[in-house]
Amino acid sequence: KAGVTQTPRYLIKTRGQQVTLSCSPISGHRSVSWYQQTPGQGLQFLFEYFSETQRNKGNFPGRFSGRQFSNSRSEMNVSTLELGDSALYLCASSFSPSGPQETAYFGPGTRLLVL
Amino acid sequence: EDQVTQSPEALRLQEGESSSLNCSYTVSGLRGLFWYRQDPGKGPEFLFTLYSAGEEKEKERLKATLTKKESFLHITAPKPEDSATYLCAVHLSGGSYIPTFGRGTSLIVHP
């Protein structure tokens, strides 16, 4: 079974630009969550999508948004990039039909550098 | 404020030297506690989920236990390939799911 894939793996942007990251979950998984990981703040939950609906949301500004498609693939978008948005962005998928994630499988992440 | 604290921040062991990592939490209404392993440059890898005090789970050289306010990850006779950062996360009961992660314990096992 193929794992969670994320594209691109590395990205360099400048302040003020926007970026879109993509995540393909494990086949059959309908829940996709996004996380930001930085040395200063650790791993922080951004949001979770299930069946194309945002089911849960962490404490991040509105510049961070996401969506999920009918095939469960998900994208997250960050607008008006700031230097502090430099981080490893991780996507995780799980089966989770009626409740929170349990066994979550993480992708390798997208490393974003904002200059 | 709900908080998850992991200790120690870093741990160096000799191969075969058993030890324990700690994850303490101040949240109320714990629904589940998760342990992950993260290797450099990779996403976290799921290890265990614990739901109630007294629960234990094992996988190879790892054993996770849970009490009302903390969890331990015991590593028995570690090998160099056990070197990684170990993360714990808690999930609260209630309608929403917003996991709170600890900062992790960086483990290095020397041959």
Side-chain angles (χ1 to χ4, degrees):
Chain A
K1 203 177 216 182
V4 179
T5 58
Q6 292 187 244
T7 56
R9 293 293 311 281
Y10 304 93
L11 206 50
I12 299 176
K13 291 286 187 177
T14 57
R15 279 183 301 173
Q17 287 186 310
Q18 74 166 15
V19 66
T20 299
L21 312 181
S22 180
C23 171
S24 292
I26 291 171
S27 178
H29 285 190
R30 295 161 62 188
S31 169
V32 174
S33 291
W34 289 90
Y35 299 80
Q36 181 194 68
Q37 188 172 34
T38 61
Q41 299 297 321
L43 196 61
Q44 294 183 289
F45 175 81
L46 280 157
F47 31 66
E48 183 217 4
Y49 285 86
F50 181 80
S51 292
E52 303 179 64
T53 301
Q54 188 180 86
R55 188 163 64 172
N56 294 286
K57 186 178 188 303
N59 189 25
F60 276 81
R63 299 186 297 108
F64 293 82
S65 63
R67 60 177 175 169
Q68 187 179 33
F69 302 96
S70 58
N71 61 358
S72 294
R73 190 178 69 86
S74 177
E75 290 182 346
M76 70 162 281
N77 184 274
V78 187
S79 62
T80 320
L81 284 166
E82 301 177 358
L83 295 178
D85 296 334
S86 295
L88 179 67
Y89 289 89
L90 292 158
C91 161
S93 80
S94 68
F95 182 59
S96 187
S98 59
Q101 291 185 330
E102 294 191 356
T103 304
Y105 297 89
F106 280 83
T110 294
R111 187 162 295 281
L112 171 65
L113 177 61
V114 182
L115 302 175
Chain B
E1 182 182 327
D2 296 333
Q3 201 167 22
V4 179
T5 304
Q6 290 189 247
S7 62
E9 288 185 16
L11 182 62
R12 291 177 180 269
L13 299 173
Q14 288 297 127
E15 184 171 2
E17 179 187 2
S18 301
S19 187
S20 296
L21 313 183
N22 178 262
C23 173
S24 64
Y25 52 93
T26 59
V27 300
S28 56
L30 180 73
R31 184 163 186 166
L33 185 142
F34 307 85
W35 281 100
Y36 294 89
R37 167 196 170 125
Q38 186 172 24
D39 293 299
K42 295 187 176 181
E45 175 189 345
F46 172 80
L47 293 173
F48 304 109
T49 306
L50 302 168
Y51 295 102
S52 56
E55 189 175 0
E56 300 182 350
K57 288 190 177 175
E58 288 189 67
K59 179 181 179 180
E60 296 179 355
R61 295 177 293 282
L62 300 177
K63 179 180 178 180
T65 63
L66 181 65
T67 70
K68 285 187 177 179
K69 287 299 178 187
E70 60 189 348
S71 176
F72 291 94
L73 185 65
H74 308 278
I75 304 177
T76 302
K79 298 182 178 182
E81 53 262 42
D82 294 322
S83 299
T85 294
Y86 291 85
L87 298 164
C88 77
V90 299
H91 169 224
L92 305 179
S93 60
S96 65
Y97 171 77
I98 300 179
T100 302
F101 281 81
R103 301 299 295 274
T105 293
S106 175
L107 172 67
I108 297 176
V109 181
H110 296 286

